Amino acid sequence: MAEGKGVALDRAQVKKAVQALQAFLKTKSTSDSLFLDDTQQISLLFTLWKIPKVAQTIRIPLPHGQRSDTDEVCLFTRDEPKMTSEQTQRFYKKLLEERGVKNITEIIPYKVLRTEYKPFEAKRRLLGNFDMFLSDDRVRRLLPSHLGKHFYERKKEPLSVNLQSKHLARDIERVIQGTSLKVNNKGCCCMARVAHSGMTADEVTENIEAAVQTVVAKLRMKGPVMKIIHIKSQTSVALPIYSSDLSHLDVQGVAEKNAQTPKKEGKAKKMKTEDLKQTESTAEGEEKKVEEDEEIPQLVPITTPSKKPKLEKPSKKKQLKKAPKPAAAKKGKKSPSKLNKKTGKSDSKVKRKVPKVK
């Protein structure tokens, strides 16, 4: 997988960059960091030639531990059958002591994580109390829904460990003192922590060389991969330690052109045939038009259409005859409604004129 992707680092140049970075960190150290013996992380910044098609996580074993002894590590375990949460904690503490594991500061069973760390504030407190999280590989898939997004935003998601391994101490030591690189398919830059400011220049240089070799070997990409590699801390400028040559670009360009030429030729042939068809169709259409024009005589008497006799339309006056008036509306005869009204008025007048009888 590493064919055509070799990266030749200049050890002297890498050591100079490490020494310059350490000198910068000493001058920028504050009073707080001196009292607390705080060390800064040293990371590698990889810039790739192309954006990867698939996301990938690469575990990188380092010859020298990149975490200080003061870092606190938390371990999530599964719930043992027929045991309470306290009994489960005691069981795994005893197991780690028997196997010689001394880097784990706290053990949290899965049941405790579900119940005691369900509130949002408890999860944030848990995230801030520990520098690294490990998990039993048997419960690793169940943790994301209970941890929340902040563990993944801070890049502190738990790393899986096989607690049933015969070489448990060695495996846990490799995971804790090693590092991991997350290659994203949304950009061409990725970063991995490889050392801290409390290490010597030779130790940092050896870690850098080991990390670069592992990353180049495990990347799922063909051809030249690395464009530039920088080294930096949390507060410093990125210092370049490797820059690829541009000679391979000419070879790639020639190969791509050779691969694209048959496609282009095929497209050109198709375009030519389509153009020929279009020209033939237009020529045929023009010939037909010319033939039609030739068939029409030049002088043709134009006959005006004879005027049709106008049809007599029935006059509106004839159509609209006066409707016969009803019998009640004739002169001398009044409508019953009017008669009733008048009779009612006369009755009322008569009633008014009649004197009251005592």
Side-chain angles (χ1 to χ4, degrees):
M1 191 175 281
E3 293 181 359
K5 299 192 292 185
V7 175
L9 288 176
D10 186 359
R11 187 181 176 87
Q13 183 67 24
V14 173
K15 193 171 182 179
K16 285 181 182 178
V18 171
Q19 289 173 349
L21 184 61
Q22 288 178 338
F24 171 79
L25 293 176
K26 285 179 181 178
T27 57
K28 293 293 181 182
S29 60
T30 60
S31 58
D32 295 335
S33 63
L34 290 172
F35 284 118
L36 297 174
D37 193 18
D38 189 13
T39 57
Q40 289 199 29
Q41 300 176 3
I42 296 175
S43 304
L44 280 178
L45 178 61
F46 298 96
T47 305
L48 309 179
W49 278 108
K50 297 178 181 179
I51 297 174
K53 295 181 180 179
V54 182
Q56 185 182 358
T57 302
I58 301 172
R59 286 197 177 183
I60 305 170
L62 298 174
H64 305 282
Q66 52 95 18
R67 293 185 182 274
S68 60
D69 298 332
T70 58
D71 287 357
E72 295 186 353
V73 182
C74 177
L75 175 64
F76 298 113
T77 63
R78 77 164 193 168
D79 298 325
E80 290 296 325
K82 297 180 181 180
M83 285 188 186
T84 62
S85 57
E86 294 178 357
Q87 291 174 348
T88 304
Q89 285 179 342
R90 292 171 191 166
F91 172 77
Y92 280 106
K93 280 182 180 179
K94 187 177 179 181
L95 176 66
L96 295 176
E97 288 175 0
E98 290 175 355
R99 299 293 181 87
V101 179
K102 300 177 181 179
N103 298 327
I104 307 298
T105 55
E106 188 170 347
I107 296 171
I108 299 176
Y110 179 65
K111 187 177 181 180
V112 175
L113 178 65
R114 285 187 304 168
T115 55
E116 295 185 10
Y117 293 96
K118 191 173 182 180
F120 177 75
E121 294 178 357
K123 291 177 184 178
R124 293 294 296 271
R125 201 181 310 117
L126 177 66
L127 178 63
N129 289 340
F130 297 96
D131 299 301
M132 188 178 184
F133 295 90
L134 303 178
S135 69
D136 189 350
D137 57 357
R138 294 170 288 183
V139 296
R140 174 67 181 81
R141 61 185 179 83
L142 304 174
L143 297 179
S145 59
H146 298 288
L147 292 176
K149 65 179 181 180
H150 298 285
F151 278 77
Y152 296 88
E153 288 177 354
R154 295 273 298 273
K155 297 182 179 180
K156 284 188 178 182
E157 65 273 15
L159 302 174
S160 61
V161 178
N162 184 11
L163 297 179
Q164 297 175 334
S165 174
K166 295 180 181 179
H167 307 284
L168 183 59
R170 185 191 66 186
D171 294 345
I172 290 178
E173 185 69 19
R174 282 182 179 178
V175 173
I176 292 174
Q177 297 301 338
T179 187
S180 61
L181 176 69
K182 288 190 175 183
V183 182
N184 198 346
N185 58 351
K186 296 179 181 179
C188 59
C189 294
C190 46
M191 187 181 291
R193 174 181 172 180
V194 294
H196 59 83
S197 57
M199 299 170 66
T200 62
D202 293 329
E203 291 175 347
V204 176
T205 304
E206 291 175 4
N207 280 4
I208 289 170
E209 290 177 345
V212 170
Q213 291 175 3
T214 305
V215 170
V216 171
K218 291 185 178 180
L219 269 175
R220 298 171 187 169
M221 295 175 69
K222 294 180 181 180
V225 177
M226 290 297 167
K227 186 178 181 181
I228 306 172
I229 302 175
H230 293 86
I231 182 174
K232 70 183 295 295
S233 70
Q234 296 171 335
T235 57
S236 70
V237 181
L239 302 176
I241 59 173
Y242 171 78
S243 180
S244 64
D245 297 329
L246 302 179
S247 58
H248 69 278
L249 292 178
D250 299 334
V251 178
Q252 280 186 345
V254 172
E256 289 177 357
K257 285 181 181 178
N258 293 332
Q260 290 177 359
T261 46
K263 295 181 181 178
K264 289 182 178 179
E265 288 177 358
K267 288 182 180 178
K269 287 180 181 178
K270 288 182 181 179
M271 294 290 289
K272 285 181 180 178
T273 53
E274 289 177 357
D275 293 338
L276 289 172
K277 288 180 180 178
Q278 288 180 357
T279 52
E280 288 176 358
S281 62
T282 52
E284 289 176 358
E286 289 177 357
E287 288 176 358
K288 287 180 180 179
K289 287 181 180 179
V290 170
E291 289 176 359
E292 290 176 357
D293 294 339
E294 288 177 355
E295 289 176 359
I296 297 170
Q298 294 181 358
L299 298 173
V300 178
I302 298 169
T303 58
T304 57
S306 59
K307 294 182 180 179
K308 293 181 180 180
K310 293 182 180 180
L311 297 173
E312 292 181 359
K313 294 182 181 180
S315 61
K316 293 182 181 180
K317 292 182 180 179
K318 292 181 180 180
Q319 286 181 358
L320 300 172
K321 292 181 180 180
K322 290 183 180 180
K325 292 182 181 181
K330 290 182 179 180
K331 292 181 180 179
K333 293 183 181 180
K334 295 182 180 178
S335 61
S337 60
K338 291 181 180 179
L339 289 169
N340 291 334
K341 288 179 182 179
K342 286 186 178 182
T343 53
K345 288 179 181 179
S346 61
D347 293 339
S348 61
K349 288 179 182 178
V350 170
K351 286 178 183 179
R352 287 176 187 172
K353 290 179 181 179
V354 175
K356 290 182 182 181
V357 180
K358 293 182 181 181

